[in-house]
Amino acid sequence: MKIVALAGGVGGAKLADGLAQLLLPENLTIIVNTGDDFEHLGLYISPDLDTVCYTLGGLANTDTGWGRREETFHVLENLQKLGGPDWFRLGDRDLATHIERTRRIQEGQPLNQITRAFCRAWGIDYSILPMSDQSVRTMVETTEDGELAFQEYFVHRKCEPKVKGFHFAGIENAQPAPGVLEALEQADAVVICPSNPWVSIDPILAVAGLWSVLAAKPVVAVSPIIGGQAIKGPAAKMCIELGILPSALAVAHHYGKILSGFVLDRVDTNLAQNITIPTWITDTLMKNKDDRRRLAQGVLNLIEIL
Ligand code: FO1
């Protein structure tokens, strides 16, 4: 079965890893959000692409989910001593990725080509594609501080500013990266991984042409929201400020008619009765590689019966 997975950062990368444990490289393509990308310290940084690549390459920091494992921060410590910004934790091994990506971009290489070269270097056989080679930037509109770049809001300001909306700057000029539409057209089904729908998956769906191809495919989403009404951490606060009740039901409604199937956590069983499409209820928290594979297997089983 040929699968395309749509993924944002940590949660998305984990399910993508589960799918990679079950599917051969020719049967799994991962399309990744690039709306979180930004320039920092003169470097082009692509957090979600790196998180997915590091995870599938076995290089990810398993505590945070992002950045590299066995990491050190000597550069950042010394940069901070010089008065440089150290709020975005860039480790020594991770910096090589950003320096080399920036060098290639300045040579004119497109993001999809750079990502393919990095995957080869990291021994990753799977196709990991940026949603677009053109710049898309998730901008957060705040009540007190105007418009903030996503990482500035999410990491530097720890989601404290009150959000009144956000938009994807550059989306109108963003074309699907080479291979994206082809993978979607050839797919037997599409899996929307458990990333934040509003901030990490929506930028992917907003890229020209993707929605219409998706609408013609079986699509299964896994809720990133576990535990009834609210999720932990800043994403819940952002949703609530946007007037979105962060629940598995809100996720299903958000994806609406493109969804053919939905996976939600046992603790949200009571919500399943309000969902009209086929659902699978299970433990969706992925604490280890076995959890990732088990959840991925369940998603594939659900797709089989659609
Ligand atoms: N997230 C944080 O909360 N704090 C950080 O200092 C941080 C650094 C970082 C460095 C490289 C990278 O690839 C990701 C990093 N992230 C950090 C995660 C990132 O900000 C978010 O996880 C994604 O943008 C959201 O999906």
Side-chain angles (χ1 to χ4, degrees):
M1 179 163 31
K2 278 192 177 301
I3 296 290
V4 168
L6 308 185
V10 176
K14 287 178 179 173
L15 181 59
D17 187 37
L19 290 166
Q21 291 180 55
L22 300 171
L23 298 167
L24 293 171
E26 58 265 30
N27 294 328
L28 175 62
T29 298
I30 300 128
I31 298 172
V32 184
N33 169 44
T34 55
D36 293 3
D37 295 8
F38 73 132
E39 280 76 28
H40 184 61
L41 303 175
L43 298 170
Y44 182 101
I45 296 175
S46 194
D48 287 355
L49 271 175
D50 291 344
T51 298
V52 172
C53 290
Y54 287 164
T55 301
L56 265 70
L59 298 166
N61 177 320
T62 48
D63 300 328
T64 56
W66 47 261
R68 293 281 290 261
R69 61 183 169 78
E70 293 156 23
E71 185 61 283
T72 53
F73 290 87
H74 301 299
V75 171
L76 210 60
E77 281 152 22
N78 284 277
L79 185 132
Q80 194 269 335
K81 284 198 184 82
L82 295 171
D86 67 340
W87 56 268
F88 196 75
R89 309 295 299 155
L90 294 169
D92 300 324
R93 289 176 170 78
D94 193 28
L95 275 166
T97 304
H98 310 307
I99 292 165
E100 178 58 8
R101 179 183 281 123
T102 304
R103 186 187 69 81
R104 287 168 179 248
I105 283 177
Q106 285 166 351
E107 272 188 358
Q109 286 188 36
L111 197 52
N112 83 85
Q113 186 184 322
I114 298 168
T115 309
R116 196 168 34 251
F118 284 12
C119 283
R120 241 190 333 271
W122 287 324
I124 301 167
D125 299 329
Y126 290 87
S127 279
I128 299 174
L129 304 175
M131 64 192 201
S132 174
D133 283 338
Q134 286 76 49
S135 166
V136 176
R137 294 288 178 272
T138 300
M139 302 305 289
V140 184
E141 294 142 24
T142 69
T143 46
E144 305 92 8
D145 303 81
E147 211 177 74
L148 300 176
F150 180 78
Q151 300 297 346
E152 177 63 28
Y153 162 76
F154 191 76
V155 179
H156 199 190
R157 307 290 297 276
K158 300 185 175 57
C159 296
E160 279 145 17
K162 195 165 165 41
V163 177
K164 59 182 190 183
F166 47 80
H167 65 273
F168 310 134
I171 195 69
E172 60 284 347
N173 302 319
Q175 291 305 311
V180 164
L181 287 183
E182 296 81 348
L184 284 167
E185 278 149 8
Q186 290 164 22
D188 296 306
V190 177
V191 176
I192 301 182
C193 294
S195 298
N196 184 314
W198 297 279
V199 183
S200 301
I201 300 294
D202 273 1
I204 304 174
L205 299 179
V207 173
L210 265 72
W211 185 278
S212 51
V213 178
L214 265 176
K217 295 284 175 184
V219 176
V220 169
V222 177
S223 175
I225 295 175
I226 299 174
Q229 297 317 306
I231 42 176
K232 310 275 177 295
K237 173 183 177 287
M238 179 184 70
C239 289
I240 289 161
E241 287 165 357
L242 290 168
I244 297 161
L245 181 71
S247 76
L249 197 55
V251 173
H253 288 163
H254 178 73
Y255 291 129
K257 58 183 184 307
I258 58 162
L259 272 197
S260 321
F262 192 61
V263 179
L264 63 167
D265 195 87
R266 258 184 237 294
V267 298
D268 293 319
T269 304
N270 62 309
L271 301 178
Q273 61 201 342
N274 305 314
I275 297 170
T276 52
I277 54 175
T279 57
W280 180 51
I281 294 174
T282 184
D283 299 315
T284 58
L285 193 63
M286 294 176 276
K287 299 178 291 296
N288 54 46
K289 271 188 94 75
D290 286 347
D291 286 350
R292 298 176 186 182
R293 188 180 59 248
R294 184 183 46 74
L295 182 57
Q297 185 59 66
V299 168
L300 296 180
N301 294 345
L302 179 57
I303 289 169
E304 288 285 356
I305 62 158
L306 290 181

